[in-house]
Amino acid sequence: MAEDAASSSRRRMESIRRHLLPRSPLILSLNPLSPAEAEPSPVIIGGMVLDIHAKPSVPPHPGTTVPGMVKYISGGVARNIAECMAKLGTQPLMISVVGNDMAGDFLLKYWRSAGLCTDGILQVHDVTTPVVSNVFDGNGELIAGVASVQAVETFLTPSWIYQFRRHISNAPLLMLDANLSPQSLQAACKIAYESGVPVLFEPVSVVKSSRIAPIAEHVSAKDSREHHLNCIVVHIGPFNH
């Protein structure tokens, strides 16, 4: 009888324990929609780029090569800002895209080695990773540069960005670079605006700086380089905030 009473008491205690403790969620698969990982952290959306820097050791001559130094560097405005934030002690969520190629592997290997999250980075087959090739003069000033970043516009779509809406809604800051398509810029700003998240816009280049026009009312801060600001003012007028 004593054993039956003890057993009955244990069953009642177990029943009470199950009701008091929160139930563990059934996880079928990890994906960007899961709020479990959506802890407040800056969200950075834009290009992860392989920068190829060429600096001649003698004055360049048109129509021929000259001796110099060529370097591969992890780059991209959005990626650079995310890395700087990480070095300051935050854990930013980077939303970007790379190809399944040498450049993409190079960028992801570096990102993982820094202990940073890759959940928001698409790696797509048969796509060329964004690459920028820059040529500098002997003083280190940029002479010319060519950017091949079409993958950012093609694959960082509103639907992909929307999968990270919980992260954006909880973020202390959303940073966007102008490599995104106008539709993706607007989609990201809409999520941030609805949650009161401040938005930083990085124009990337003079050519792309005009993409701020449709989202200007949602942007809290902009790049302060004079040539970018001049182009922005031409398209939308002076800022009042």
Side-chain angles (χ1 to χ4, degrees):
M1 295 292 290
E3 290 182 2
D4 291 341
S7 177
S8 178
S9 296
R10 284 195 296 269
R11 287 196 298 271
R12 287 197 297 272
M13 291 299 295
E14 178 63 20
S15 177
I16 293 170
R17 188 189 70 84
R18 286 198 302 268
H19 283 85
L20 290 176
L21 293 177
R23 294 184 178 181
S24 299
L26 177 62
I27 299 177
L28 299 178
S29 63
L30 294 176
N31 60 73
L33 290 176
S34 174
E37 298 298 326
E39 297 179 359
S41 60
V43 175
I44 316 297
I45 310 178
M48 290 190 82
V49 178
L50 176 65
D51 284 345
I52 302 175
H53 289 186
K55 182 180 178 181
S57 54
V58 299
H61 297 284
T64 186
T65 60
V66 295
M69 182 177 293
V70 177
K71 294 181 178 179
Y72 288 170
I73 300 174
S74 295
V77 172
R79 193 217 68 88
N80 292 345
I81 292 174
E83 182 179 3
C84 288
M85 287 183 174
K87 289 179 178 179
L88 291 171
T90 67
Q91 284 292 317
L93 174 68
M94 181 75 196
I95 301 176
S96 193
V97 60
V98 296
N100 187 27
D101 53 16
M102 182 197 73
D105 291 342
F106 176 88
L107 292 167
L108 285 176
K109 181 179 179 180
Y110 179 87
W111 205 245
R112 292 187 180 108
S113 71
L116 295 170
C117 176
T118 60
D119 290 352
I121 303 172
L122 281 169
Q123 187 169 29
V124 185
H125 290 280
D126 300 322
V127 168
T128 301
T129 294
V131 175
V132 173
S133 181
N134 293 317
V135 179
F136 298 88
D137 64 19
N139 297 318
E141 295 296 325
L142 182 66
I143 298 174
V146 177
S148 174
V149 295
Q150 186 61 38
V152 177
E153 287 195 39
T154 303
F155 292 98
L156 293 190
T157 60
S159 61
W160 176 247
I161 291 171
Y162 190 68
Q163 291 189 59
F164 298 91
R165 63 191 182 277
R166 295 182 185 273
H167 296 78
I168 296 172
S169 297
N170 292 332
L173 172 73
L174 171 66
M175 200 292 292
L176 306 170
D177 81 22
N179 286 313
L180 295 168
S181 69
Q183 295 80 8
S184 293
L185 286 170
Q186 291 179 47
C189 281
K190 182 176 183 294
I191 298 170
Y193 175 75
E194 290 173 350
S195 300
V197 176
V199 177
L200 170 65
F201 179 79
E202 179 29 89
V204 177
S205 67
V206 170
V207 173
K208 293 183 177 180
S209 61
S210 62
R211 294 186 179 184
I212 195 176
I215 62 169
E217 63 182 310
H218 302 308
V219 174
S220 306
K222 312 92 185 167
D223 180 291
S224 60
R225 282 171 285 183
E226 182 178 359
H227 54 291
H228 287 170
L229 289 177
N230 287 340
C231 188
I232 290 171
V233 169
V234 166
H235 284 87
I236 66 175
F239 290 104
N240 295 317
H241 62 288

